[in-house]
Amino acid sequence: MLTREKNELLVRTGPGTPMGELFRRYWIPALLSEEIPEPDCPPVRVKLLGEELIAFRDTKGRIGLLDEFCAHRTASLFFGRNEECGLRCSYHGWKFDVDGNCVDMPSEPETSTFKNRVRLKAYPCVELAGIVWTYMGPPERRPALPELEWATLDADRRFVSKRWQESNYLQAMEGGIDSSHVSFAHRYNIDDDPMHAGTEGLKYLKADTRPKFEVAESDGGLVIGARRTAGDRSYYWRITQWIMPWYTIIPPFGTHNPMGGHAWIPIDDENCWAWSINYHPTRALTEPELASMRAGEGIHVKYIPGTYRPVANKTNDYLIDREAQRERRSFSGVEGISAQDFSLQESMGAIVDRSKERLGTSDAAIILARRRLLDALKLLDEEGPLPGAAPEHQRVRSASLVLPDSVPFQEGARDALIAVPGREFVSI
Amino acid sequence: MLTREKNELLVRTGPGTPMGELFRRYWIPALLSEEIPEPDCPPVRVKLLGEELIAFRDTKGRIGLLDEFCAHRTASLFFGRNEECGLRCSYHGWKFDVDGNCVDMPSEPETSTFKNRVRLKAYPCVELAGIVWTYMGPPERRPALPELEWATLDADRRFVSKRWQESNYLQAMEGGIDSSHVSFAHRYNIDDDPMHAGTEGLKYLKADTRPKFEVAESDGGLVIGARRTAGDRSYYWRITQWIMPWYTIIPPFGTHNPMGGHAWIPIDDENCWAWSINYHPTRALTEPELASMRAGEGIHVKYIPGTYRPVANKTNDYLIDREAQRERRSFSGVEGISAQDFSLQESMGAIVDRSKERLGTSDAAIILARRRLLDALKLLDEEGPLPGAAPEHQRVRSASLVLPDSVPFQEGARDALIAVPGREFVSI
Amino acid sequence: MLTREKNELLVRTGPGTPMGELFRRYWIPALLSEEIPEPDCPPVRVKLLGEELIAFRDTKGRIGLLDEFCAHRTASLFFGRNEECGLRCSYHGWKFDVDGNCVDMPSEPETSTFKNRVRLKAYPCVELAGIVWTYMGPPERRPALPELEWATLDADRRFVSKRWQESNYLQAMEGGIDSSHVSFAHRYNIDDDPMHAGTEGLKYLKADTRPKFEVAESDGGLVIGARRTAGDRSYYWRITQWIMPWYTIIPPFGTHNPMGGHAWIPIDDENCWAWSINYHPTRALTEPELASMRAGEGIHVKYIPGTYRPVANKTNDYLIDREAQRERRSFSGVEGISAQDFSLQESMGAIVDRSKERLGTSDAAIILARRRLLDALKLLDEEGPLPGAAPEHQRVRSASLVLPDSVPFQEGARDALIAVPGREFVSI
């Protein structure tokens, strides 16, 4: 349970809001590189933290992320011409470079110096892992570039997709932190998933359906341990990483399978991007794996063609299949791991009223994550990187392993939770 | 005409509103039994008086009407599993019985007593006449079960349907109280309707198109008499019953035809359920009659498949046919008694601004009905049943008959206006 | 740039707003005559300046423009019966004549005098140029009938269409005042347009893409000169007329081509009618010209069948064709002069926030037009016609011509800018 005031603090991320200010201090996954695939390609609309922007790749391959609306008369630059190192408004021909400078103003006399005084809001961008990232905060507070493990791997070792979710980012992210729902929402899908098949972990998971949770603060967020009995005097641990402010990493099933992770990025207060990443730290993804991901399986989704919106969505009750529900092929009747999650998260309403919740011990990670986000608001004026913004906060892994019951999981899994390039991850 | 303040009092029925509090003191038609046809069938969403609820029939056939959103994290129970005497949320498996008790909380430790402290809002339900009725008020003020004549008949003597109306309940109900519009909105359809054919009443109805209205308060609502000349020194009376707070009974045409009635139930302030009932107190409905009702004729409608919304609706201007209007096959160009009414009622806007009306003598019943509703607000703290809530208020009938012009209709029709089981009703 | 307060003053035109009061002092193009083509035809909904109205042509051919909602119980008169010199509500049969008088009240006793006290809001109408015009202001301030040149020509010399635009009227009208955008938004279409082909003007237009603007106040609005170099010591002038409060006339290309003009009429604050008129003052339009206009070419559009909404619209990104944009067949990728304009105007949002603009010298006409509209608010209580309301303010033309560089355009083009019936207009 949360007071309405604290809930409002957490869910509002537009310009001028406290959480919006915090989020603007981090690098933000903004769009897929494939959306602006080549120099001088058409610009695309991007909405982030309530701001309407336009992204384009200029003639030299540089990426611009500008205010969507021309500085002159506010026409949308979506209709603009991307040519000769700038985006030119189709209304009166004003042209802007990737830094937001007005570099041509052909509607004014050639001698005019007006254009030198005109700038469009522009955010710096970098490309990493097939994603265009941006930084929307004060320049002097810009953090180091992202070093999340999946963001630093060679291209053949990861697959990235994004999906429009019709809800506030927080209830989406809470789903990523919350290991507890896996035993329910995904119960009848865990077996089927080829990524789980035959692992030792799956055996323990099925044998003990009431895990105990232990949550520890890490430098960059939380480490969330779910503990199950694993024979005599030992525990099977599934450990989830939450990296502030919005990354989660799924505990893996066996080292032969790729890992999975997410980023939960506010579009505005009632919509968010759910980014889904599969990656393997030590080998290339196989063609069958990639084919399955491209087909929208696992944590990815099937799209409505020409969009990043799922075919199964709110307007069609997520294609719920009551027969499948009855016959225990799907716990909720919705098909697919991903849709099982977002159908429930969207069903809570665009923004959850957390004053109506009743939280239990299994919600400890969610409670702590909210607290860490609220606490981070107090660090805005401090020196040094914010939690989750430093590279060393990001070089972490989730893991699954068996430990003696006498060993605290943070201790027993210490090495397993650190991402070391080229080193195999730990999972059974 | 009504002040804006009084209009607001009348049209707002959400939690905490005065009229909402009044309405919660009555049994409310909530959904059709056929929507939850058997034990453990899928749950359905129900919205009443602005409250979002979920209805289900448990393994033992008991009906639950609960808050739609799980007490835990507010996921919708629409995605829930209805099994083993309870509805289980698909997110973390919390399970609720028909009384709203949390009977299983598998995400918490087995020893936890947390679930004993968790309840979901639950409203008691009864099934009568193919309808699930609920009571949303304080338990100690629950009235006797409905004894409306149509609700107490054997199943083969009645046919019940419901229809989504895109307007506030009040303007819909006012159409049911208002006999005056029949001569206009339905003018060219009265002859055609096989239910009117060849009746003596129809002859009088057509001969005198300017009825005079007399309205009397009954214990449970209003008795509304529409008087027409019927030869020398006698009147043809068509008498409508309004039973508080939202039932109307149509004056019949001949005793060989079924009677008709309605209930007008707020979904929220801008939508309502129009319930339509045909019934015959002393005989089973015939197969041709039922076929016509199922086909959406008379007071029923043709639905968009899979919904209770009419095919002819606001988005398509109710399929208005200007040729039919010109050629006097339909007064307004809209086809069907039912659509003729709701097209006009919805055209007034979602909520009528009654400060702009100009009411005449033919609106006497509407004026009085509003007054009775407003007056009833003062009775909320009184002992005893509210008007319309007592069984004896509900055992009434509408009627049509000829009386000498010297006899007041309440007197001449006294017996005709009482519903006595097994006794033929009065109509010519 | 405009303060938010001034912007609000300019864009709000509903009842009771200052700009709404000003606009109600002018004759307003309300609907096409063809929408109510004959006596007793079906009524049509008309929304103007935020008021919901119903238009009909009575048995004698007189036009009524009334409040859409019946005075009785506020049912929409869209469902009314248009017959025997009045529009009869389908709910209870109240009937209104073109002046808003209630001429029949069949639901009330024959002896009732109630109907004499009931009136519906009614606005006077006239038909001119295939348009029904109305006047919504105080009767004693009604101005002379419109004498815009195109409104006074024989029917075979003009073609009129209207189009729903999803934006405030002001940003639409500013597009009509703003000659500067032609060189950009329409750049690759100017050559193709058969109306421009082979004219001397086109040669100059293409040779000098940075026109200088000179704007002068006229009695009725503005005269806007765009000056381009035309050889030695002479200028090619394209002169646009803005007639208050909402008419614009496009500078012509050659006297053999029809002229073009527009009217920009608020539907409500977020929508407007863009009226488009082609006309030739001294000859009938040819069949090929009319065929092209009816096909939605030039300043007209292709409609969604049964509506006045364009096929290319906001929901489909105006069918933008990025290939056409890249290959320089269309500057913005949108096809058609008209859609090129309204796509950009609508992209600014329903109502432009003018506090974010950066205006240049090429925006002088827009700046002055706003000022004149704001200044006109101070004239509401003055005697005499408002600017643009007097016939002599309306009898003007746009023109294109070459003048020596020593001659001010208002002087050199004085005669060319006056509309004299039967006199050829001036254009090269």
Side-chain angles (χ1 to χ4, degrees):
Chain A
M1 217 210 83
L2 218 55
T3 62
R4 273 164 206 266
E5 292 67 31
K6 283 191 176 161
N7 198 34
E8 284 295 295
L9 265 184
L10 281 164
V11 301
R12 304 290 169 194
T13 65
T17 60
M19 199 55 63
E21 199 182 341
L22 179 70
F23 284 3
R24 282 168 176 78
R25 294 287 185 82
Y26 293 85
W27 283 99
I28 306 172
L31 68 159
L32 283 160
S33 293
E34 69 182 34
E35 296 178 70
I36 45 173
E38 59 194 16
D40 291 340
C41 63
V44 297
R45 297 185 187 100
V46 174
K47 195 172 184 185
L48 288 175
L49 310 183
E51 297 188 38
E52 291 176 304
L53 306 169
I54 196 92
F56 69 107
R57 192 183 297 268
D58 81 359
T59 313
K60 293 188 176 159
R62 293 172 303 198
I63 293 174
L65 186 63
L66 311 180
D67 190 330
E68 183 190 335
F69 304 101
C70 181
H72 178 208
R73 296 268 311 285
T74 78
S76 172
L77 293 169
F78 173 78
F79 297 98
R81 300 184 65 80
N82 183 11
E83 53 185 17
E84 291 160 33
C85 286
L87 187 59
R88 186 184 294 281
C89 180
S90 278
Y91 208 179
H92 302 87
W94 290 22
K95 183 173 172 178
F96 301 89
D97 68 13
V98 294
D99 298 318
N101 300 307
C102 184
V103 293
D104 193 18
M105 200 181 266
S107 61
E108 292 296 306
E110 277 173 289
T111 54
S112 167
T113 60
F114 183 31
K115 77 164 188 283
N116 304 333
R117 303 194 304 278
V118 170
R119 284 200 75 240
L120 260 192
K121 180 172 69 181
Y123 294 124
C125 295
V126 295
E127 259 180 308
L128 276 175
I131 296 175
V132 178
W133 310 63
T134 192
Y135 174 74
M136 298 167 69
E140 69 280 8
R141 303 300 300 260
R142 190 191 304 187
L145 291 182
E147 296 202 20
L148 297 147
E149 182 167 39
W150 55 259
T152 59
L153 295 175
D154 286 349
D156 59 357
R157 297 187 176 187
R158 51 147 169 90
F159 178 84
V160 179
S161 73
K162 72 173 191 177
R163 164 181 61 76
W164 188 290
Q165 178 158 338
E166 295 181 70
S167 83
N168 186 267
Y169 83 97
L170 184 58
Q171 65 214 65
M173 186 169 77
E174 287 173 349
I177 290 171
D178 159 31
S179 311
S180 170
H181 79 276
V182 177
S183 309
F184 305 100
H186 310 315
R187 177 175 296 176
Y188 304 127
N189 298 86
I190 297 171
D191 286 25
D192 303 344
D193 195 316
M195 292 225 188
H196 307 147
T199 58
E200 200 179 338
L202 183 60
K203 188 183 65 183
Y204 298 128
L205 195 75
K206 291 170 70 174
D208 181 353
T209 60
R210 291 187 192 251
K212 311 284 174 297
F213 291 93
E214 291 183 25
V215 190
E217 295 200 9
S218 61
D219 291 339
L222 296 176
V223 192
I224 303 149
R227 186 185 85 197
R228 287 175 174 82
T229 300
D232 206 26
R233 306 195 61 82
S234 60
Y235 290 134
Y236 170 60
W237 287 93
R238 297 186 56 73
I239 306 168
T240 300
Q241 293 274 5
W242 173 58
I243 306 159
M244 289 178 67
W246 42 43
Y247 302 101
T248 51
I249 303 177
I250 304 168
F253 277 94
T255 55
H256 56 296
N257 286 318
M259 305 190 76
H262 294 284
W264 314 91
I265 309 299
I267 294 172
D268 52 31
D269 291 344
E270 306 206 335
N271 296 276
C272 68
W273 285 118
W275 290 85
S276 297
I277 305 99
N278 276 129
Y279 61 107
H280 201 292
T282 56
R283 69 162 170 86
L285 302 185
T286 65
E287 204 38 59
E289 283 169 348
L290 287 166
S292 153
M293 294 164 191
R294 284 188 203 110
E297 292 172 5
I299 57 176
H300 309 282
V301 288
K302 286 174 190 58
Y303 299 123
I304 296 173
T307 76
Y308 292 101
R309 291 173 177 262
V311 168
N313 58 51
K314 193 169 194 158
T315 65
N316 53 27
D317 275 336
Y318 310 92
L319 304 171
I320 191 169
D321 177 346
R322 295 290 190 185
E323 277 309 297
Q325 186 179 30
R326 192 188 319 258
E327 296 170 4
R328 297 173 188 263
R329 286 179 279 123
S330 163
F331 199 76
S332 69
V334 172
E335 190 186 334
I337 298 282
S338 178
Q340 283 161 8
D341 282 337
F342 65 75
S343 57
L344 287 162
Q345 292 159 9
E346 293 180 1
S347 84
M348 300 161 151
I351 302 178
V352 168
D353 177 357
R354 290 179 177 75
S355 71
K356 293 192 175 159
E357 295 173 330
R358 300 294 302 272
L359 299 183
T361 60
S362 68
D363 299 301
I366 288 173
I367 294 167
L368 265 174
R370 295 175 189 171
R371 189 177 307 159
R372 287 217 73 175
L373 283 172
L374 290 171
D375 284 349
L377 296 178
K378 301 169 197 153
L379 306 174
L380 284 169
D381 297 328
E382 306 278 307
E383 292 286 318
L386 290 164
E392 60 273 23
H393 300 172
Q394 301 170 352
R395 288 192 222 104
V396 296
R397 284 177 180 167
S398 292
S400 60
L401 73 177
V402 170
L403 293 174
D405 65 1
S406 58
V407 179
F409 85 92
Q410 300 100 303
E411 198 176 297
R414 181 165 295 139
D415 282 356
L417 298 175
I418 299 169
V420 178
R423 189 164 81 188
E424 190 64 77
F425 62 92
V426 175
S427 177
I428 60 167
Chain B
M1 217 210 83
L2 219 54
T3 62
R4 273 165 205 265
E5 291 70 28
K6 284 191 176 161
N7 198 35
E8 284 294 294
L9 264 184
L10 281 164
V11 301
R12 302 291 169 194
T13 65
T17 61
M19 199 54 64
E21 199 182 340
L22 180 69
F23 284 5
R24 282 167 175 80
R25 296 285 184 87
Y26 293 84
W27 282 99
I28 305 172
L31 69 158
L32 283 161
S33 292
E34 70 182 33
E35 296 178 70
I36 43 174
E38 59 195 15
D40 291 341
C41 63
V44 297
R45 297 186 188 99
V46 173
K47 195 172 184 187
L48 288 175
L49 310 183
E51 297 186 39
E52 291 175 304
L53 306 169
I54 195 91
F56 69 107
R57 192 183 297 268
D58 80 1
T59 313
K60 295 188 176 160
R62 291 172 304 198
I63 294 173
L65 186 63
L66 310 181
D67 190 329
E68 183 189 335
F69 303 101
C70 181
H72 179 207
R73 296 268 311 285
T74 79
S76 173
L77 294 170
F78 173 78
F79 297 98
R81 298 184 64 81
N82 183 12
E83 53 186 15
E84 292 161 32
C85 285
L87 188 59
R88 187 185 293 284
C89 180
S90 278
Y91 208 179
H92 302 87
W94 291 21
K95 183 173 171 179
F96 301 90
D97 69 12
V98 294
D99 298 318
N101 301 307
C102 185
V103 293
D104 193 18
M105 200 180 263
S107 60
E108 291 296 304
E110 277 173 286
T111 54
S112 168
T113 60
F114 183 29
K115 77 163 186 284
N116 304 331
R117 300 195 306 277
V118 170
R119 284 199 75 241
L120 259 193
K121 181 171 68 180
Y123 294 124
C125 294
V126 295
E127 259 182 307
L128 275 176
I131 296 176
V132 177
W133 310 63
T134 193
Y135 174 74
M136 298 167 70
E140 69 280 8
R141 302 302 299 261
R142 189 192 304 185
L145 291 181
E147 296 202 20
L148 297 147
E149 182 166 38
W150 56 260
T152 59
L153 295 175
D154 287 349
D156 60 355
R157 296 187 177 187
R158 50 147 171 90
F159 178 85
V160 179
S161 73
K162 71 172 193 178
R163 166 181 59 76
W164 188 290
Q165 179 158 337
E166 295 182 71
S167 82
N168 186 266
Y169 83 98
L170 184 58
Q171 65 214 65
M173 185 170 76
E174 288 172 348
I177 289 171
D178 159 32
S179 312
S180 169
H181 80 276
V182 177
S183 310
F184 305 100
H186 310 315
R187 178 174 295 174
Y188 304 128
N189 298 85
I190 298 172
D191 287 25
D192 302 344
D193 195 315
M195 292 226 189
H196 305 147
T199 59
E200 200 179 337
L202 184 61
K203 188 182 68 183
Y204 297 128
L205 195 77
K206 293 170 69 175
D208 182 352
T209 59
R210 289 186 193 254
K212 310 285 175 297
F213 291 92
E214 291 184 24
V215 190
E217 295 199 8
S218 61
D219 290 339
L222 295 176
V223 192
I224 304 147
R227 186 184 85 197
R228 285 175 175 82
T229 300
D232 205 25
R233 307 195 59 80
S234 59
Y235 290 134
Y236 169 61
W237 287 94
R238 296 186 57 73
I239 306 169
T240 299
Q241 294 274 6
W242 173 57
I243 306 159
M244 290 177 67
W246 44 42
Y247 303 101
T248 50
I249 305 178
I250 305 168
F253 277 95
T255 55
H256 56 296
N257 285 319
M259 303 190 77
H262 293 286
W264 315 92
I265 309 300
I267 293 172
D268 53 29
D269 292 344
E270 306 205 335
N271 296 275
C272 67
W273 286 117
W275 291 85
S276 298
I277 305 100
N278 276 130
Y279 62 107
H280 201 292
T282 56
R283 69 161 172 85
L285 302 185
T286 66
E287 204 37 62
E289 283 169 348
L290 288 165
S292 152
M293 294 164 192
R294 284 188 203 110
E297 293 174 5
I299 57 176
H300 309 282
V301 288
K302 286 175 189 59
Y303 299 122
I304 297 172
T307 77
Y308 293 101
R309 292 174 176 262
V311 168
N313 59 50
K314 193 170 193 157
T315 64
N316 53 28
D317 275 337
Y318 310 91
L319 304 172
I320 191 168
D321 177 346
R322 294 293 192 184
E323 276 308 297
Q325 186 179 32
R326 191 188 319 259
E327 295 170 3
R328 297 174 189 261
R329 287 180 278 123
S330 163
F331 199 76
S332 69
V334 172
E335 191 188 331
I337 298 281
S338 178
Q340 283 160 10
D341 283 338
F342 66 73
S343 58
L344 287 161
Q345 291 159 11
E346 293 180 2
S347 84
M348 299 160 150
I351 302 179
V352 168
D353 177 358
R354 291 178 176 75
S355 70
K356 291 190 175 161
E357 296 173 329
R358 300 295 300 272
L359 300 184
T361 60
S362 67
D363 299 302
I366 288 172
I367 294 167
L368 265 173
R370 294 176 189 170
R371 191 177 305 160
R372 286 217 73 177
L373 284 172
L374 290 170
D375 284 348
L377 296 179
K378 300 168 197 155
L379 306 174
L380 285 170
D381 297 327
E382 306 278 307
E383 292 285 318
L386 290 164
E392 59 272 24
H393 300 172
Q394 299 171 353
R395 288 191 223 106
V396 296
R397 284 177 179 167
S398 291
S400 62
L401 73 178
V402 170
L403 291 174
D405 66 0
S406 57
V407 179
F409 85 92
Q410 300 100 304
E411 198 177 298
R414 180 164 295 139
D415 283 354
L417 297 174
I418 299 170
V420 178
R423 190 162 81 188
E424 188 63 81
F425 62 91
V426 175
S427 177
I428 61 168
Chain C
M1 217 210 82
L2 218 53
T3 62
R4 274 165 204 263
E5 291 69 31
K6 283 189 176 163
N7 198 34
E8 284 294 296
L9 264 184
L10 280 165
V11 300
R12 303 291 169 192
T13 65
T17 61
M19 200 53 65
E21 199 183 341
L22 179 69
F23 283 4
R24 282 167 175 79
R25 296 285 185 84
Y26 294 84
W27 283 98
I28 305 171
L31 68 159
L32 283 160
S33 294
E34 70 183 33
E35 296 179 69
I36 43 172
E38 60 195 13
D40 291 340
C41 63
V44 297
R45 298 186 187 100
V46 174
K47 194 172 184 187
L48 288 175
L49 310 183
E51 297 186 38
E52 291 175 303
L53 306 169
I54 195 90
F56 70 106
R57 192 182 297 266
D58 81 0
T59 314
K60 293 187 176 161
R62 291 172 304 198
I63 293 173
L65 187 63
L66 310 181
D67 190 330
E68 184 189 335
F69 303 101
C70 181
H72 178 207
R73 295 267 313 285
T74 77
S76 171
L77 293 169
F78 173 77
F79 297 98
R81 299 184 64 80
N82 182 12
E83 54 186 16
E84 291 160 34
C85 286
L87 188 59
R88 186 184 295 282
C89 180
S90 278
Y91 208 179
H92 302 89
W94 291 21
K95 183 172 172 179
F96 301 89
D97 69 12
V98 294
D99 297 319
N101 301 306
C102 184
V103 293
D104 193 19
M105 199 181 267
S107 60
E108 291 296 304
E110 276 174 290
T111 53
S112 167
T113 59
F114 182 30
K115 76 164 187 282
N116 304 332
R117 301 194 304 278
V118 170
R119 284 199 75 240
L120 260 193
K121 180 171 70 180
Y123 294 124
C125 294
V126 295
E127 261 182 306
L128 275 176
I131 296 175
V132 177
W133 310 64
T134 193
Y135 174 73
M136 296 168 70
E140 70 279 7
R141 304 299 302 260
R142 189 191 303 188
L145 291 181
E147 296 202 19
L148 296 147
E149 183 167 39
W150 55 261
T152 59
L153 295 175
D154 289 348
D156 62 355
R157 296 189 176 187
R158 48 146 173 91
F159 178 85
V160 179
S161 73
K162 73 173 191 179
R163 167 180 58 76
W164 187 292
Q165 178 157 339
E166 295 181 70
S167 83
N168 186 267
Y169 83 97
L170 184 59
Q171 65 214 65
M173 186 169 77
E174 288 173 348
I177 289 171
D178 158 32
S179 311
S180 170
H181 79 277
V182 176
S183 310
F184 304 100
H186 309 315
R187 177 175 294 174
Y188 304 127
N189 299 86
I190 298 170
D191 286 27
D192 302 343
D193 195 315
M195 292 225 189
H196 305 147
T199 60
E200 202 178 336
L202 183 60
K203 188 182 65 185
Y204 297 129
L205 194 77
K206 293 171 67 174
D208 181 352
T209 61
R210 291 187 192 251
K212 308 284 175 298
F213 292 93
E214 292 184 24
V215 190
E217 294 199 9
S218 60
D219 291 338
L222 296 175
V223 192
I224 304 147
R227 187 184 84 198
R228 284 173 175 83
T229 301
D232 207 25
R233 307 195 58 80
S234 59
Y235 289 135
Y236 168 61
W237 287 93
R238 298 186 55 73
I239 306 168
T240 300
Q241 293 275 5
W242 174 57
I243 305 160
M244 289 176 68
W246 43 42
Y247 302 101
T248 51
I249 304 177
I250 305 167
F253 276 96
T255 55
H256 57 295
N257 285 319
M259 304 190 77
H262 293 285
W264 315 91
I265 310 299
I267 294 173
D268 53 29
D269 292 344
E270 304 205 337
N271 296 276
C272 68
W273 286 117
W275 290 84
S276 296
I277 305 100
N278 276 128
Y279 60 107
H280 201 293
T282 56
R283 69 159 171 87
L285 302 185
T286 66
E287 203 38 59
E289 282 169 348
L290 286 166
S292 153
M293 293 164 192
R294 284 188 203 110
E297 292 174 3
I299 57 176
H300 310 282
V301 287
K302 287 176 190 57
Y303 299 122
I304 297 173
T307 77
Y308 293 101
R309 290 173 178 264
V311 169
N313 59 52
K314 194 168 193 159
T315 64
N316 53 28
D317 275 337
Y318 310 92
L319 304 172
I320 191 168
D321 177 346
R322 295 291 191 185
E323 277 308 297
Q325 185 179 31
R326 190 187 321 256
E327 295 170 4
R328 297 173 190 263
R329 288 178 279 123
S330 164
F331 198 76
S332 69
V334 173
E335 190 187 333
I337 298 280
S338 177
Q340 284 161 8
D341 284 337
F342 66 74
S343 58
L344 288 161
Q345 292 159 11
E346 293 180 2
S347 84
M348 298 159 151
I351 302 179
V352 167
D353 177 358
R354 291 178 176 76
S355 70
K356 293 191 173 160
E357 295 173 330
R358 301 294 302 271
L359 300 184
T361 60
S362 68
D363 299 301
I366 287 172
I367 294 166
L368 265 174
R370 295 175 188 171
R371 189 178 305 160
R372 286 218 72 178
L373 284 172
L374 290 171
D375 285 348
L377 295 178
K378 301 169 197 153
L379 306 174
L380 284 170
D381 297 327
E382 305 278 307
E383 293 285 317
L386 291 164
E392 59 273 22
H393 300 172
Q394 300 170 354
R395 288 192 222 104
V396 297
R397 284 176 178 166
S398 290
S400 62
L401 73 179
V402 169
L403 292 173
D405 65 1
S406 58
V407 180
F409 85 94
Q410 301 99 304
E411 197 176 297
R414 180 164 295 139
D415 283 355
L417 297 174
I418 300 171
V420 178
R423 190 163 82 187
E424 189 62 81
F425 62 91
V426 175
S427 178
I428 62 167

